[in-house]
Amino acid sequence: MAELTLVRPQLEGEYYTLEQIRGMIERIKPEQRKEYKSLPTMSFFHRDSSRIRAIVGPVGSGKTSAAVMDIEMIAMDLRRDFGIKETRWVCIRNTYLELMDTCFQTVVYWMQGGRWYDKRKAYRWEDKINDKTTELLFRSCDRPGDVSKFKSMEITGYWMDESIELTTELKLMIRNRIGRYPAREHVRQVVLGGLPAETEKGFKHEGIKTVEEKV
């Protein structure tokens, strides 16, 4: 698994500036990226076709990189099997700083050369070799009213990092937003982190299989 050294700029105000985010993107050069090699648990995660999947493990076990690569694998499947060239995902974490200091920097590491859209808080990566585009929206959800901003989303799938810190209300609601971009298709959701018992019970009640594999 490639090692990623995170760089945390000085935060001024509520969000990083556009220049600071561009600095995060530009600091990683193509020659610095290593080949992705998944551990046995990550390989199991990639092979599983459940609609809801979860993976847990210790710090540094490669969970975040596995989630990013899994999004790309699904995008490749949709391109090959259904001719879908564009996918849109939402990456969710409890706080903005945690989201940008970990998830965003890992995305940039594996999807180099993309473009950041500051107003939408979106990273768009064009894979010219495989003729497809992957867009990731970055959203925090640490306030009582934050759940409402996900209700009108049209996405291919989602990725929750440290999902145990996110509310059950969000988890049960966001699954109804997948498969809406570019249209309803055969998609899988990416859920990263432990599922609380009440959430897993709710999913099973709806007939959705859950998988949680420890490293």
Side-chain angles (χ1 to χ4, degrees), residues 9-18 20-21 24 95-97 99-100 116 118-119 121 138-140 142-143 146 149:
Q10 182 66 38
L11 183 64
E12 298 178 1
E14 188 175 2
Y15 301 106
Y16 286 128
T17 65
L18 178 58
Q20 287 174 321
I21 293 177
M24 295 181 196
T95 70
Y96 172 78
L97 275 179
L99 185 67
M100 298 303 291
W116 174 255
D118 198 53
K119 290 184 178 180
K121 298 293 183 287
F138 291 85
R139 300 290 186 270
S140 60
D142 58 346
R143 300 169 185 171
D146 283 349
K149 65 186 178 184

Side-chain angles (χ1 to χ4, degrees), residues 29-81:
K29 307 302 180 184
E31 60 271 15
Q32 295 176 316
R33 189 175 66 179
K34 299 180 180 180
E35 180 183 358
Y36 175 72
K37 296 180 179 180
S38 62
L39 297 173
T41 297
M42 310 310 171
S43 296
F44 176 82
F45 176 72
H46 294 317
R47 291 195 303 269
D48 188 79
S49 60
S50 303
R51 189 164 181 253
I52 303 289
R53 291 171 297 148
I55 187 168
V56 297
V59 175
S61 59
K63 302 184 301 296
T64 307
S65 288
V68 175
M69 296 306 295
D70 200 75
I71 287 174
E72 270 306 288
M73 291 176 187
I74 295 173
M76 284 293 295
D77 289 344
L78 292 174
R79 177 69 181 94
R80 182 188 64 245
D81 298 337

Side-chain angles (χ1 to χ4, degrees), residues 16-206:
Y16 286 128
T17 65
L18 178 58
E19 289 72 22
Q20 287 174 321
I21 293 177
R22 284 176 175 169
M24 295 181 196
I25 296 173
E26 294 172 357
R27 74 178 181 86
I28 300 176
K29 307 302 180 184
E31 60 271 15
Q32 295 176 316
R33 189 175 66 179
K34 299 180 180 180
E35 180 183 358
Y36 175 72
K37 296 180 179 180
S38 62
L39 297 173
T41 297
M42 310 310 171
S43 296
F44 176 82
F45 176 72
H46 294 317
R47 291 195 303 269
D48 188 79
S49 60
S50 303
R51 189 164 181 253
I52 303 289
R53 291 171 297 148
I55 187 168
V56 297
V59 175
S61 59
K63 302 184 301 296
T64 307
S65 288
V68 175
M69 296 306 295
D70 200 75
I71 287 174
E72 270 306 288
M73 291 176 187
I74 295 173
M76 284 293 295
D77 289 344
L78 292 174
R79 177 69 181 94
R80 182 188 64 245
D81 298 337
F82 302 100
I84 296 175
K85 295 184 178 182
E86 292 197 15
T87 58
R88 178 186 296 152
W89 307 79
V90 59
C91 176
I92 310 169
R93 190 159 176 173
N94 188 39
T95 70
Y96 172 78
L97 275 179
E98 291 171 334
L99 185 67
M100 298 303 291
D101 290 347
T102 56
C103 301
F104 176 73
Q105 296 201 41
T106 304
V107 166
V108 171
Y109 180 84
W110 292 112
M111 301 180 183
Q112 295 177 10
R115 182 177 179 183
W116 174 255
Y117 294 83
D118 198 53
K119 290 184 178 180
R120 298 176 57 232
K121 298 293 183 287
Y123 184 75
R124 189 175 177 85
W125 181 62
E126 294 185 8
D127 180 0
K128 296 182 179 179
I129 296 177
N130 296 297
D131 189 26
K132 64 180 178 60
T133 300
T134 305
E135 182 177 79
L136 288 101
L137 310 175
F138 291 85
R139 300 290 186 270
S140 60
C141 190
D142 58 346
R143 300 169 185 171
D146 283 349
V147 174
S148 62
K149 65 186 178 184
F150 297 93
K151 290 183 178 179
S152 60
M153 277 192 167
E154 296 184 348
I155 54 176
T156 308
Y158 66 86
W159 162 26
M160 289 181 172
D161 194 18
E162 300 296 345
S163 66
I164 197 170
E165 299 175 357
L166 299 169
T167 66
T168 301
E169 179 186 5
L170 172 62
K171 294 169 184 175
L172 293 175
M173 182 273 293
I174 194 68
R175 66 182 177 86
N176 293 318
R177 309 313 306 170
I178 68 166
R180 296 176 179 270
Y181 184 88
R184 278 199 173 274
E185 300 290 351
H186 300 286
V187 298
R188 291 178 288 171
Q189 301 173 4
V190 177
V191 182
L192 181 62
L195 288 175
E198 66 273 15
T199 303
E200 186 168 354
K201 182 179 179 181
F203 284 141
K204 288 182 177 179
H205 178 71
E206 297 293 331

